[in-house]
Amino acid sequence: MSRLRAASGLLALAVLTGCAGAPEAPATPSPSATPSAPAEPIRIAAGPTGQTAVLAHVYAGRLREAGFDAGVVDAGAGRADYLAALERGDVELVADYSGNLYLHLRGRAPVGPAGAAPTGIATPSPTPTPEERGLAEDLSELLGLGEERADDDDVLAGVREVLPEGLRVLEPAPAENTVAVVVTRATAVEHGLSDLEDLGPVCDEIALGTGLDFAGRSYGPEGLKDAYECVPRSFVPFAEQDELVDALLGDRVQAAALFTASPAIEDNALVVLADPLNNFVPQRVVPVGDRKLPDAAVQVVEEVSAQIDTDDLVLMTRMTTARDPYTPEEAARYWLEGGDDT
């Protein structure tokens, strides 16, 4: 990235993020992570979304700093494509989302845009068939939890159990991109809302704006009713997130279902209502690698992955979807350099 481009890019980013500061510079890998001898190249698949493409370049950049020959390759955006590439040995690493990865491995339909849209922004998806309904219930059933709903640890354990032979799950990042119900601060104060249990008693007073596929998901009307006795006055579907957010800010709907890594939440100071009963499918960022990946490389990836939280996903999304967007490689470099023009 040229100094002129970096300067203009950072100015644009400052306008986008307001008073938010640049991410702190991640720690330099420990010397123990540096390979003692030349290793085979490490090829990293870009993965299913724009976020995972940035993460792939983050992994590659940190691995190169540690002395590995690492690069990002296009192995297809579909899970079947890049998982097959991992099994064939065409790539050695990819970042994915835990819930959608597990559902894919068990032959179920993924949960909408967390595994399909580069920005974490809701996009239309086909209406689920009857066999695809009951997703949250099916998830718990597949995991052997009975009526108990699955949490992050349950899903990650499930992924480890069903991952194809020869592959392994590295330690997940704190970052997640899952569905959540959000409200404006005014609505949160008016009704004393901090989680979905608070929403239940006043749910009949609100209209809930959603993506087009929300009504066909078990975490939608059925899940909210069963888990929180929440039956909104109405469900209002939107094809575009911008329209949904405008409706929320204009009080045409009083709550909205968004993905947690959407910049719209931070930009509009929206309140994310906690989901203590795990109605929504967990979607942690998780690196998946070949079992032959050197231990020193695994250590590097896990160290950098541990530093990536949901705010970082928001930043990466913001950078790659700005009016003058950064490429995934440029966004990764910005993150790795701690936002400094070096």
Side-chain angles (χ1 to χ4, degrees):
M1 185 189 308
S2 69
R3 189 170 295 274
L4 177 60
R5 169 63 194 268
S8 61
L10 294 181
L11 178 60
L13 185 63
V15 172
L16 283 167
T17 58
C19 296
E24 294 183 3
T28 301
S30 60
S32 62
T34 303
S36 57
E40 292 293 323
I42 297 175
R43 296 155 296 185
I44 306 168
T49 72
Q51 294 169 355
T52 59
V54 177
L55 292 170
H57 283 285
V58 166
Y59 298 154
R62 187 51 55 80
L63 284 165
R64 286 193 295 268
E65 290 175 7
F68 290 95
D69 177 10
V72 178
V73 299
D74 182 2
R79 282 185 178 83
D81 295 330
Y82 58 76
L83 288 174
L86 273 170
E87 290 190 84
R88 290 193 306 267
D90 294 343
V91 297
E92 287 73 41
L93 186 67
V94 67
D96 207 337
Y97 306 93
S98 58
N100 279 341
L101 177 59
Y102 180 76
L103 291 168
H104 171 84
L105 292 170
R106 294 303 302 266
R108 302 295 297 179
V111 180
T119 63
I121 294 175
T123 55
S125 61
T127 300
T129 64
E131 290 76 14
E132 292 170 343
R133 296 178 189 273
L135 197 55
E137 294 169 348
D138 286 343
L139 180 62
S140 295
E141 182 179 341
L142 289 170
L143 289 165
L145 300 176
E147 296 182 359
E148 182 181 349
R149 292 171 185 265
D151 62 16
D152 281 334
D153 291 338
D154 295 324
V155 173
L156 289 166
V159 170
R160 291 185 174 96
E161 288 180 3
V162 299
L163 203 62
E165 186 177 355
L167 305 184
R168 60 172 163 176
V169 174
L170 281 60
E171 285 299 311
E176 66 174 2
N177 190 23
T178 191
V179 180
V181 173
V182 305
V183 297
T184 63
R185 290 200 179 277
T187 298
V189 170
E190 177 184 357
H191 296 291
L193 304 178
S194 62
D195 60 33
L196 290 173
E197 289 184 314
D198 296 331
L199 185 64
V202 298
C203 207
D204 60 353
E205 300 177 29
I206 71 165
L208 176 61
T210 72
L212 296 181
D213 69 342
F214 189 85
R217 301 292 191 179
S218 73
Y219 58 68
E222 179 185 345
L224 290 174
K225 179 180 179 180
D226 290 348
Y228 296 106
E229 298 183 357
C230 174
V231 181
R233 185 178 74 241
S234 62
F235 289 91
V236 185
F238 292 85
E240 300 293 336
Q241 182 186 259
D242 288 348
E243 296 175 358
L244 171 54
V245 172
D246 286 345
L248 180 64
L249 298 177
D251 201 37
R252 298 193 300 279
V253 297
Q254 290 71 50
L258 299 179
F259 278 80
T260 51
S262 169
I265 294 174
E266 178 182 320
D267 292 346
N268 299 285
L270 302 177
V271 176
V272 177
L273 301 183
D275 179 20
L277 300 181
N278 300 308
N279 178 56
F280 296 110
V281 177
Q283 300 287 359
R284 288 276 294 282
V285 169
V286 58
V288 180
D290 190 313
R291 286 194 178 275
K292 297 179 182 177
L293 200 63
D295 289 343
V298 170
Q299 180 181 340
V300 171
V301 172
E302 291 186 336
E303 284 178 354
V304 70
S305 188
Q307 299 165 16
I308 299 169
D309 61 19
T310 303
D311 287 341
D312 292 311
L313 290 188
V314 173
L315 174 65
M316 294 169 184
T317 300
R318 192 186 300 283
M319 295 181 73
T320 55
T321 59
R323 184 172 299 177
D324 180 21
Y326 286 69
T327 66
E329 185 174 9
E330 290 170 338
R333 187 181 306 130
Y334 179 88
W335 190 90
L336 285 167
E337 293 173 352
D340 296 328
D341 179 18
T342 56

